[in-house]
Amino acid sequence: MGKRERENPCSICGHYHKYEEGEVCGICGHRMPVNSEKSISTKIGAFPSEILPDFLYLGSYDNASRSELLKVQGISRILNTVPSCQNLYKNSFRYYSLQDDKSLFFDDAIQFLEKCRNEKARVLVHCMTGKSRSPAVVIAYLMKFKGWRFEQSYQWVKERRPSVELTQAVYEQLQEYEKSLFGASEAPVPTDSLSFGFAKNDAVAVPSFDTSSSSSIFDRPLGAPDQQFAFGASQGVNQVNSGVTDIPMGGA
């Protein structure tokens, strides 16, 4: 099937074939799955995830390598967060690449993204898999320019790209960046409610004793009858002491 016969390529493989009708792609052999599998495959297809409408997109190196699909979405700028990933289409897109493969310099990346926004250009942020480094840059952007805290920014991105899984190192960098923007948080982010995708060391719980609701024998009013206070095995004690007479103190 000729490229000109279709306006858009296949959303999964990026080639031009009648995928809605079940036609097998003559280039890669892709075939649209049936029924329930169709919607799932479409979500994890070749198109990057739209984070902010008509502006910010998030994806993988595979997404960045499909120039035709990027042009379909109107993307003209690419932020590459992995130094080892090549910028494939320098004649077609404007690139900005982070040079450190360990630390993420959020402010440098955010400055490029904000320039794209001011120029009304659509931009793709990508790493190798689209799961950790590139989502972190997007989350940092939302914190700075939306004024959202880490938790809210993470949830926004996670809902639009469910495959996001932050590594421990990236998570800690985002925590530090949040502190630099908002200061130390009085109420730390409840990380148990966020599936960041890395194992956390579970601390041993320290038992706490809550005596706020317990009563004290010294709190009873003067003159209160003794039967109001029952201690554990009171019945047994009464039976043992029933035959014991009190001995007065101070002599016979």
Side-chain angles (χ1 to χ4, degrees):
M1 185 177 194
K3 177 178 178 181
R4 294 176 181 270
E5 297 179 35
R6 292 190 55 83
E7 181 181 353
N8 297 325
C10 172
S11 62
I12 304 301
C13 71
H15 302 132
Y16 292 84
H17 65 109
K18 297 179 181 179
Y19 55 91
E20 302 99 330
E21 301 176 9
E23 181 185 50
V24 178
C25 178
I27 299 177
C28 66
H30 164 252
R31 181 176 182 178
M32 182 65 74
V34 296
N35 300 332
S36 61
E37 297 180 1
K38 182 176 180 179
S39 60
I40 298 176
S41 298
T42 302
K43 291 180 181 180
I44 59 175
F47 286 102
S49 306
E50 186 180 54
I51 305 302
L52 295 177
D54 301 325
F55 165 50
L56 187 56
Y57 296 80
L58 173 61
S60 64
Y61 186 56
D62 179 66
N63 297 134
S65 67
R66 300 173 183 263
S67 61
E68 291 183 348
L69 299 188
L70 298 181
K71 291 177 182 178
V72 167
Q73 290 186 292
I75 294 172
S76 60
R77 314 281 176 89
I78 297 178
L79 172 54
N80 180 2
T81 67
V82 181
S84 60
C85 290
Q86 296 182 357
N87 298 327
L88 300 175
Y89 309 107
K90 294 182 179 180
N91 293 332
S92 301
F93 302 93
R94 184 183 298 181
Y95 284 87
Y96 182 83
S97 301
L98 300 183
Q99 301 301 319
D100 197 311
D101 60 354
K102 294 183 180 179
S103 298
L104 288 165
F105 294 95
F106 293 125
D107 287 329
D108 293 343
I110 289 172
Q111 185 176 0
F112 173 75
L113 294 178
E114 188 61 6
K115 182 178 180 181
C116 294
R117 188 185 69 85
N118 291 333
E119 296 176 357
K120 301 187 183 303
R122 299 186 183 190
V123 56
L124 167 68
V125 183
H126 81 86
C127 54
M128 185 60 72
T129 62
K131 293 184 177 181
S132 185
R133 285 178 66 89
S134 53
V137 170
V138 172
I139 290 171
Y141 179 84
L142 295 177
M143 284 196 289
K144 184 164 186 176
F145 283 98
K146 289 290 187 180
W148 297 345
R149 299 303 294 260
F150 181 14
E151 180 181 12
Q152 182 180 0
S153 301
Y154 172 85
Q155 292 290 6
W156 180 273
V157 174
K158 181 74 172 177
E159 289 174 2
R160 285 151 183 79
R161 190 173 180 85
S163 61
V164 169
E165 293 180 4
L166 301 181
T167 64
Q168 178 74 41
V170 167
Y171 166 72
E172 291 175 354
Q173 289 182 62
L174 282 170
Q175 275 191 319
E176 291 301 317
Y177 191 69
E178 181 186 34
K179 291 179 182 178
S180 70
L181 293 177
F182 305 103
S185 176
E186 297 180 359
V189 175
T191 55
D192 289 340
S193 64
L194 308 180
S195 301
F196 286 107
F198 55 81
K200 301 185 289 294
N201 294 326
D202 295 327
V204 178
V206 179
S208 59
F209 300 92
D210 184 7
T211 59
S212 59
S213 62
S214 60
S215 59
S216 170
I217 61 174
F218 300 103
D219 295 335
R220 64 176 181 174
L222 295 177
D226 293 340
Q227 58 268 25
Q228 290 184 0
F229 302 92
F231 298 89
S234 58
Q235 294 180 355
V237 173
N238 290 338
Q239 292 178 358
V240 173
N241 295 335
S242 60
V244 180
T245 57
D246 291 338
I247 300 176
M249 302 295 293

